[in-house]
Amino acid sequence: LGEYYITRDYFEIQLQKIKNEHKYYSIEYPFPQLGLFKKESPLTVDLKDIVTALLHSRSDLKQSPHLSRLAGILLINLDKYQSFSALVNMVLSKNLLCFYIDEKKYPNKNKEIKDRVQIFRQIFFYNEPELCGFMEMNEILPEDYFIEWCTSLFTSVLNVDLVMRIWDIYLA
């Protein structure tokens, strides 16, 4: 992780542009069970700033509720600037960008997603042929869950503690 070096000045400029234009994106309040991201709490203000700064700086990205979840996990562990920098590098990584980019601005998006789903299916079948076969026999296809796993990096399907453990391994 870390292909894009985001300076603190760049981040502050993005925040200033947002404030000047009064253009904030609506966000989903992630992880209600934790009680950290309540309306107008300090972390929620930071969350809005981070997600809005990302979307404002990259007009080719589309808004997604998963951005709030990713930024929320980062904010639990990092300061606002570090969270923004990490979010930029996560979303713009070659592995995740196709899930967040606007299909109108990137015509190959669907092909790239299909390719990733197919690779996942092959790896799944190679490592767990019985389970893969059982799921497919019951019409539970990788398209039904893999895209959600990728776009949310498991934040929509696992509890926060487990997500943080997975991220520690993945991002190490």
Side-chain angles (χ1 to χ4, degrees):
L1 202 65
E3 289 181 34
Y4 298 92
Y5 178 71
I6 307 297
T7 65
R8 196 171 292 273
D9 288 341
Y10 175 81
F11 178 55
E12 294 299 328
I13 290 168
Q14 292 304 314
L15 291 178
Q16 194 58 50
K17 285 180 182 179
I18 293 164
K19 289 176 184 166
N20 291 344
E21 295 174 14
H22 304 288
K23 184 181 179 183
Y24 278 90
Y25 290 88
S26 61
I27 61 161
E28 177 184 295
Y29 299 107
F31 319 114
Q33 70 277 18
L34 298 179
L36 297 172
F37 298 98
K38 296 179 180 176
K39 192 171 186 165
E40 302 311 317
S41 74
L43 275 179
T44 302
V45 172
D46 289 349
L47 183 70
K48 280 183 182 178
D49 284 348
I50 289 168
V51 171
T52 300
L54 172 64
L55 293 170
H56 191 272
S57 67
R58 289 290 304 247
S59 63
D60 59 341
L61 298 178
K62 65 179 186 173
Q63 189 172 3
S64 165
H66 299 304
L67 290 174
S68 295
R69 290 189 194 105
L70 298 178
I73 291 284
L74 293 167
L75 276 168
I76 290 170
N77 295 286
L78 304 169
D79 71 26
K80 186 174 173 176
Y81 160 70
Q82 292 169 328
S83 296
F84 175 73
S85 183
L87 183 65
V88 166
N89 279 285
M90 289 169 88
V91 171
L92 300 183
S93 73
K94 64 182 177 182
N95 295 321
L96 292 181
L97 182 60
C98 67
F99 296 104
Y100 286 102
I101 201 158
D102 187 341
E103 54 273 348
K104 294 174 190 158
K105 297 179 180 176
Y106 189 66
N108 289 337
K109 174 185 175 147
N110 291 331
K111 182 190 177 316
E112 283 197 30
I113 291 173
K114 284 179 185 176
D115 290 349
R116 282 168 175 70
V117 170
Q118 184 60 32
I119 290 168
F120 170 78
R121 194 229 167 257
Q122 290 170 346
I123 293 169
F124 185 26
F125 182 77
Y126 179 80
N127 289 291
E128 294 291 337
E130 289 180 34
L131 180 57
C132 182
F134 174 80
M135 290 180 74
E136 288 181 359
M137 184 176 67
N138 288 287
E139 298 181 9
I140 304 169
L141 303 175
E143 295 87 342
D144 300 331
Y145 55 89
F146 178 72
I147 294 169
E148 178 79 15
W149 291 355
C150 287
T151 55
S152 73
L153 286 179
F154 304 105
T155 60
S156 63
V157 293
L158 299 175
N159 73 47
V160 173
D161 291 331
L162 190 52
V163 169
M164 285 196 235
R165 283 181 164 189
I166 291 170
W167 284 23
D168 282 345
I169 294 165
Y170 176 73
L171 301 174

